[in-house]
Amino acid sequence: MEGRPAVDDAALGRAALAVLDANWTGTSTMPAPGIYPHQWSLDSAFVAIGLARRDTARAGQELLSLFTGQWRTGMVPHIVFHHSDGYFPGPSMWRSEEVPDAPRGALTSGLTQPPLHAYAAWWIWRHAADRELAARFVRRAWPSLVAQHAYLRSRDAGGHGLAAIAHPWESGMDDSPAWDAPLANLPAGRCGTGYHDRYFWLAVQCRDHGYAPSYFREEHPFAVEDPMFNGIWLLSCDAMARLASEVVGVDPEPFQEAAARIRGALLDRLWNGAFYARDVRADRLVPVCTIGGFGPMLDPEMPHHVIAALTSLLESTKFMGAAGYPVPSCEIRAPEFDRAQYWRGPSWISTNWLLSQAAAVHGLDRLRELLVASTLRLVRQGGFRECFDPFDGTGHGCRDFSWSAALTLDLLGR
Ligand code: 9WN
């Protein structure tokens, strides 16, 4: 970590908390009030992680509030709308109130996002000062987490043990070049030409088929096995196994088996010297290296040769080695790389944080220290922006972005 006077860290921590307080609605945290004025699933998991050491009750409430939007299928929606305004597409496009499996008391989207929540629950349990409060929270969240994990198994479009995303929005990395080829294969003439036309068209298809898992699995034209989504699922399966034995007092084995199944499928289906997304409908890997390809590094049991290859790719001039402010979200030398466009180049605090976890798990101390120091440098210089230019650190997207603030708190708390 950078040698910094403690006063800097204290000021940065206060600024991060002020952002989270300003974005707090009383029951959950908006990612950013102007642009994202509702509750997002992945964002809430990161917020809970960031608050875990400071405020166990609020960290737990963040996740419990998200679960009020959970569907009877176990699906945790990517957006829970706490009012009807301010974001497109909003409740009138998703129409969750017309779906029998959706909850009656909440309006939600009909898609999901990476299942980081069990890991966030475990993080709260591990870091809470008030152990009793944390244990009570875990027991309350447990049925929702179990249902979420069961739901993900129903999304195995490829039939080999991975969950397939049905929309770029489900990845949390919306504009990533990993979706370019599957989006290009959508039926021309019916879905428009631009990416955003296609996003909308895909969402309408999901809605018009009742968001049924069988439709997602068998018919929906976009089905992609993403290494980041599945790496996060694997991480959460490990967390479920630990929570099962440490807190809930149930058999951890089903979750250990699930982790092993996902690990095997990641290696069989997505590994080709690096991890790539697989377009299930075209049955081929999408040949572009993105930040998503490092997701499986989060697994403590990934084979050593795989971790060594990923580490050397990450440190090479394709990613960290040529960026002053790592980690770029797409390989710098790929034709698709764009230093300013969402998920096609900029560095994000969330993926930096996940990679710093991966480095810690594999004992890669120098890499971890570099990631922590460069991430803190980004927010010190640019503020809690949504993402950052990987060459000069300029902030992009909205300001006072919750997960950037929350994960800064965690990094400062170590
Ligand atoms: C669509 C809220 C979300 C994040 C995603 C990020 C972006 C939404 C958008 O914002 O996605 O869900 O409007 O682009 O890509 O990771 O959860 O912060």
Side-chain angles (χ1 to χ4, degrees), residues 381-392:
Q381 293 178 359
F384 304 109
R385 297 297 294 264
E386 197 171 358
C387 55
F388 301 85
D389 184 304
F391 298 126
D392 65 16

Side-chain angles (χ1 to χ4, degrees), residues 224-310:
V224 177
E225 293 168 347
D226 168 32
M228 179 61 86
F229 189 106
N230 284 284
I232 287 176
W233 186 20
L234 199 174
L235 182 71
S236 271
C237 287
D238 276 341
M240 289 294 276
R242 274 178 274 172
L243 291 174
S245 47
E246 290 172 30
V247 190
V248 190
V250 296
D251 183 7
E253 208 177 307
F255 299 104
Q256 290 157 347
E257 283 170 7
R261 190 189 62 245
I262 299 167
R263 180 179 309 119
L266 280 168
L267 291 166
D268 286 351
R269 303 268 297 165
L270 309 188
W271 177 252
N272 184 19
F275 283 106
Y276 298 91
R278 175 175 289 275
D279 180 346
V280 175
R281 298 299 177 230
D283 196 22
R284 59 173 174 250
L285 296 178
V286 181
V288 54
C289 275
T290 70
I291 194 76
F294 297 102
M297 270 186 98
L298 290 160
D299 175 19
E301 289 179 44
M302 227 355 105
H304 183 70
H305 74 275
V306 171
I307 296 300
L310 288 173

Side-chain angles (χ1 to χ4, degrees), residues 31 36 40 43 78 87 113 169 172 174 343 401 403:
Y36 308 116
W40 261 258
D43 303 59
H78 93 296
Y87 182 76
Q113 257 188 335
W169 291 333
D174 308 9
W343 295 110
F401 188 55
W403 85 34

